[in-house]
Amino acid sequence: MDVENRNVTVYGAYGHTGRFVVATLIERGYLPVLSGRDPARLAAMAGQHEVRPAAVDDPAALDRALAGSAAVINCAGPFAVTAGPAIEAALRAGVPYVDVAAEIEANADTFARFGDRARAAGAVIVPAMAFYGGLGDLLATAAMGDWTEADRVDVAYGLDSWHPTAGTRLSGVVSRERRAGRRVRYAGGRLRYHDDTPATERWSFPAPTGEREVVAEFSMADVVTVPSHLTVPEVRSYLTVEAARDVVAPDAPAPVAADASGRSAQSFVVDVVVHRGSERRRAVASGRDIYAVSAPLAVEAVDRILTGRTRTAGVASAGAMFDADDFLTALGLHRSP
């Protein structure tokens, strides 16, 4: 199905992930409209693309940023600040909204604040359509298959490193402040905040990664996206210890491009296990650069929305909005463990 209007506004277009999103839109035949809070940074990357600066506290400017576009992808963190105003603008414009938020609280806010309104309007809002939140949710949905409920979903992130962007650092600060430095888990059917010290465990990733030490219950956006539509009372996420140390280290370097596309050499494997009684089901994805992979995830989501390949309306996670197996296969992310 062809898309008549190929214009897609990218908010936060000059950021690390935003640049990957812009490049991926162009590869897919879309026309990115560049927007964000910093006019100078937008102008520096304009080239042949239209530039529309907009502050998040300026509704009229946001409306101009979205005017004439078929959809908006929000890549600007912290999403606790940007998601609400950008979603409001998308609802006023009557266009779908996708973001790449990894912030647990911001994603929970999106479901709570906009679920009823978006559903009533028949609008499509997909938060966390990125490496954290979106990919894990697609894998969990694929692993569930025909099961209607499960006891637990484990999402294990096997990263060889995690060199954070400035946006990741800022979003992390905002999230920690919002939960007063506590950690968060999804257990007993709800988010729970706690002060206990994180434990480490051993996780056996599929070859060639193999057994690695992980931080247990290093909760990511999956604790919001997965239980938003799958009947499961507990969601746990795990992260390799070296990556966990990197992301909080004050002297950790930013990602460094290792090829012409700008991708870093970082490798990852995401291993999802769904538990039901004594049964286990598993789905795995692997690749390079957690920031770069967020771009094809977000752009594929927009393409499927604009071509009518969706399963619901309102605020929905990736696994609820799309055919998970088909989505993962289309991007070459799904492989057998």
Side-chain angles (χ1 to χ4, degrees):
M1 184 187 301
D2 291 329
V3 178
E4 184 174 345
N5 181 0
R6 310 291 295 188
N7 296 318
V8 176
T9 296
V10 181
Y11 194 75
Y14 46 73
H16 188 83
T17 301
R19 289 175 178 270
F20 284 119
V21 168
V22 169
T24 305
L25 283 167
I26 295 168
E27 291 172 3
R28 296 289 297 268
Y30 285 94
L31 302 174
V33 176
L34 313 185
S35 188
R37 292 163 285 190
D38 191 327
R41 294 181 71 185
L42 286 170
M45 66 175 295
Q48 302 298 311
H49 307 300
E50 187 173 357
V51 168
R52 301 178 187 173
V56 289
D57 59 355
D58 187 343
L62 287 172
D63 289 346
R64 289 192 293 272
L66 271 61
S69 286
V72 57
I73 302 175
N74 181 11
C75 301
F79 293 89
V81 175
T82 67
I87 292 170
E88 292 283 6
L91 289 171
R92 290 193 298 271
V95 300
Y97 168 94
V98 171
D99 71 31
V100 296
E103 299 161 40
I104 293 170
E105 297 79 16
N107 286 306
D109 285 349
T110 296
F111 279 96
R113 291 179 56 192
F114 297 102
D116 292 341
R117 284 176 57 193
R119 192 178 308 108
V124 172
I125 297 172
V126 186
M129 193 62 247
F131 178 78
Y132 290 115
L135 180 54
D137 184 53
L138 288 166
L139 290 167
T141 306
M144 282 279 287
D146 60 354
W147 287 358
T148 57
E149 59 183 25
D151 300 324
R152 190 176 85 236
V153 171
D154 291 337
V155 184
Y157 291 100
L159 278 58
D160 64 348
S161 63
W162 185 357
H163 296 165
T165 64
T168 293
R169 290 189 182 279
L170 181 57
S171 293
V173 169
V174 171
S175 286
R176 286 191 294 274
E177 288 177 348
R178 289 192 65 181
R179 56 179 182 256
R182 296 173 297 169
R183 297 195 305 123
V184 61
R185 62 166 60 100
Y186 187 84
R190 66 182 180 89
L191 292 176
R192 299 173 183 268
Y193 294 86
H194 52 102
D195 298 305
D196 53 328
T197 302
T200 58
E201 299 179 12
R202 304 293 295 182
W203 186 277
S204 294
F205 290 95
T209 304
E211 188 172 288
R212 302 284 289 278
E213 187 178 12
V214 295
V215 177
E217 294 190 284
F218 193 98
S219 295
M220 302 303 296
D222 312 286
V223 299
V224 175
T225 56
V226 170
S228 73
H229 69 107
L230 298 181
T231 304
V232 54
E234 187 171 1
V235 178
R236 299 180 184 175
S237 40
Y238 306 80
L239 179 67
T240 44
V241 293
E242 53 267 55
R245 290 168 183 156
D246 276 349
V247 76
V248 297
D251 58 348
V256 176
D259 61 26
S261 73
R263 290 193 309 167
S264 73
Q266 178 207 51
S267 66
F268 68 81
V269 57
V270 184
D271 187 16
V272 175
V273 180
V274 180
H275 304 254
R276 190 180 72 171
S278 61
E279 298 177 277
R280 304 287 184 272
R281 287 183 173 179
R282 198 174 198 178
V284 178
S286 59
R288 272 181 54 202
D289 195 326
I290 64 173
Y291 295 105
V293 79
S294 292
L297 285 163
V299 173
E300 180 70 15
V302 165
D303 186 72
R304 286 173 181 256
I305 294 166
L306 296 181
T307 54
R309 292 176 290 160
T310 55
R311 291 183 157 185
T312 188
V315 179
S317 67
M321 184 62 69
F322 309 112
D323 181 319
D325 281 305
D326 186 63
F327 195 112
L328 291 163
T329 300
L331 294 185
L333 287 170
H334 196 185
R335 67 181 177 88
S336 299

